[in-house]
């Protein structure tokens, strides 16, 4: 258990508590330094977390390709292995900044926030796109209670729920500083990729315990933050997005049961999601939207 320890007659923070205290100081410092003294970037500054493949990569492509202006920070665990991002960097060298960020390692989140602060001073959009559903020999969607494992529950929760909330925590001062400046929106947007299966009210099939529960947790955490930022009157709205069933590595092992016409391309899904993001208003804060703009019950 983390406690105070006595050293030479004085009470000191244990190493783990000292790390937590240092992180709080860094977030506070970032909030103080992210101010109007930084330039406002025409077209805005967007961050896509989980950008090396799938939906995240497509967000980066469309954010850069659909607009002549604006900057994108693309983060992933292993930038050196992200060949598709490197190709985009060659095309958009002045507008794309690739950054290491692992949602299971808070130090990398802090370092990414500091790099963005030094480079841009603010953010106008944060998209949390990273997520896990299955990993061969490690994690598989549970079709029955007998297959539930503690390790699967914890891993899904860490990546799908804890990671995004920590990214929001460290990027919040930058989003507050940016608001809607440089964009056509009046506010900055946090868009967390959730899933319809995370809806409790819409759950009629059961199963997929780890994935469902982790997305439900993400929904609650995002709603909590939206309430807090609304109370603070920060120029930031938080929304949750269900992209539909998209043809990516995440869904590929489970596509055989998808009805005809319901398996979307990445291009189509992201186009729809960006329409929701670009038209987000203050009154949308804390809402859960499907790809077609319809609200999903909690």
């Amino acid at each position: 258990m983390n406690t105070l320890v006595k050293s030479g007659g004085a009470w000191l923070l244990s190493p783990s508590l000292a790390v937590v205290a240092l992180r709080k100081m860094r977030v506070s410092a970032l909030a103080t330094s992210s101010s109007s003294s930084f330039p406002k970037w025409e077209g805005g500054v967007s961050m896509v977390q989980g950008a090396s493949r799938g939906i995240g990569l497509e967000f980066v492509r469309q954010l850069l390709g659909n607009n002549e202006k604006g900057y994108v920070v693309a983060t992933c665990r292993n930038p050196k292995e992200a060949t598709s991002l490197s190709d985009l960097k060659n095309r958009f060298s002045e507008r794309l900044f690739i950054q290491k960020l692992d949602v299971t390692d808070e130090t990398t989140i802090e370092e990414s926030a500091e790099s963005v602060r030094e480079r841009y001073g603010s953010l106008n959009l944060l998209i949390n796109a990273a997520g896990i559903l299955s990993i061969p020999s490690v994690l598989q969607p549970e079709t029955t209670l007998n297959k539930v494992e503690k390790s699967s529950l914890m891993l899904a929760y860490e990546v799908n729920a804890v990671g995004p909330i920590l990214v929001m925590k460290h990027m919040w001062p930058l989003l507050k500083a940016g608001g809607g400046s440089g964009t056509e929106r009046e506010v900055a947007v946090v868009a967390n990729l959730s899933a319809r299966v995370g809806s409790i009210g819409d759950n009629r099939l059961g199963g997929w315990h780890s994935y469902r529960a982790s997305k439900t947790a993400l929904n609650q955490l995002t709603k909590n933050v939206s309430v807090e930022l609304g109370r603070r009157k920060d120029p930031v709205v938080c929304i949750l997005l269900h992209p539909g069933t998209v043809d990516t590595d995440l869904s590929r092992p489970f596509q055989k049961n998808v009805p005809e016409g319901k398996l979307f391309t990445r291009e189509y899904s992201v186009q729809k999601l960006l329409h929701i993001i670009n038209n987000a208003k203050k009154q949308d804060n804390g809402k859960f939207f499907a790809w077609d703009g319809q609200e999903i019950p909690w």
Side-chain angles (χ1 to χ4, degrees), residues 214-251:
S214 67
K215 289 299 186 178
T216 304
L218 173 64
N219 292 353
Q220 180 68 287
L221 290 166
T222 305
K223 180 66 175 181
N224 267 356
V225 175
S226 75
V227 172
E228 178 179 349
L229 299 188
R231 186 164 41 245
R232 292 175 179 271
K233 301 189 183 304
D234 288 346
V236 184
V237 301
C238 303
I239 58 176
L240 292 143
L241 299 175
H242 166 55
T245 303
V246 184
D247 187 11
T248 64
D249 292 341
L250 183 144
S251 69

Side-chain angles (χ1 to χ4, degrees), residues 47-118:
M47 171 180 278
V48 181
Q49 180 271 115
S52 62
R53 58 181 182 168
I55 294 177
L57 178 61
E58 185 60 27
F59 267 116
V60 176
R61 284 197 182 109
Q62 293 197 26
L63 285 167
L64 291 168
N66 294 350
N67 308 283
E68 295 182 356
K69 298 177 181 179
Y71 302 82
V72 178
V73 180
T75 76
C76 59
R77 288 181 301 163
N78 300 303
K80 292 181 180 179
E81 298 178 9
T83 55
S84 295
L85 280 180
S86 296
D87 291 342
L88 287 172
K89 179 66 174 177
N90 292 333
R91 292 175 53 199
F92 301 97
S93 59
E94 298 299 318
R95 298 173 55 206
L96 177 59
F97 178 45
I98 302 172
Q99 182 75 28
K100 176 181 175 61
L101 190 157
D102 182 346
V103 294
T104 67
D105 182 352
E106 190 172 0
T107 298
T108 68
I109 302 174
E110 292 178 282
E111 291 171 348
S112 180
E114 180 61 23
S115 294
V116 173
R117 186 198 68 79
E118 292 176 352

Side-chain angles (χ1 to χ4, degrees), residues 185 187 189 237 239 275-282 284:
R185 299 186 308 268
V187 290
V189 175
V237 301
I239 58 176
H275 178 75
I276 296 171
I277 291 169
N278 291 335
N279 289 280
K281 304 291 192 298
K282 289 181 179 179
D284 296 321

Side-chain angles (χ1 to χ4, degrees), residues 97-243:
F97 178 45
I98 302 172
Q99 182 75 28
K100 176 181 175 61
L101 190 157
D102 182 346
V103 294
T104 67
D105 182 352
E106 190 172 0
T107 298
T108 68
I109 302 174
E110 292 178 282
E111 291 171 348
S112 180
E114 180 61 23
S115 294
V116 173
R117 186 198 68 79
E118 292 176 352
R119 192 178 188 94
Y120 300 109
S122 62
L123 281 174
N124 307 102
L125 171 62
L126 168 62
I127 299 173
N128 277 308
I132 56 169
L133 172 57
S134 66
I135 302 174
S137 303
V138 176
L139 174 65
Q140 290 295 323
E142 309 92 340
T143 55
T144 174
L145 182 61
N146 291 334
K147 294 185 178 181
V148 172
E149 300 285 346
K150 178 180 178 180
S151 59
S152 297
L153 289 164
M154 298 303 289
L155 178 59
Y157 188 80
E158 181 178 29
V159 175
N160 295 342
V162 176
I165 195 71
L166 291 178
V167 175
M168 292 171 70
K169 166 188 168 183
H170 290 286
M171 303 304 163
W172 160 69
L174 297 165
L175 291 158
K176 180 180 178 181
S181 64
T183 75
E184 296 181 358
R185 299 186 308 268
E186 59 182 356
V187 290
V189 175
V190 176
N192 288 338
L193 262 62
S194 185
R196 186 180 292 274
V197 297
S199 166
I200 295 174
D202 194 58
N203 184 0
R204 296 176 180 84
L205 297 176
W208 289 30
H209 298 280
S210 298
Y211 186 71
R212 280 187 189 273
S214 67
K215 289 299 186 178
T216 304
L218 173 64
N219 292 353
Q220 180 68 287
L221 290 166
T222 305
K223 180 66 175 181
N224 267 356
V225 175
S226 75
V227 172
E228 178 179 349
L229 299 188
R231 186 164 41 245
R232 292 175 179 271
K233 301 189 183 304
D234 288 346
V236 184
V237 301
C238 303
I239 58 176
L240 292 143
L241 299 175
H242 166 55

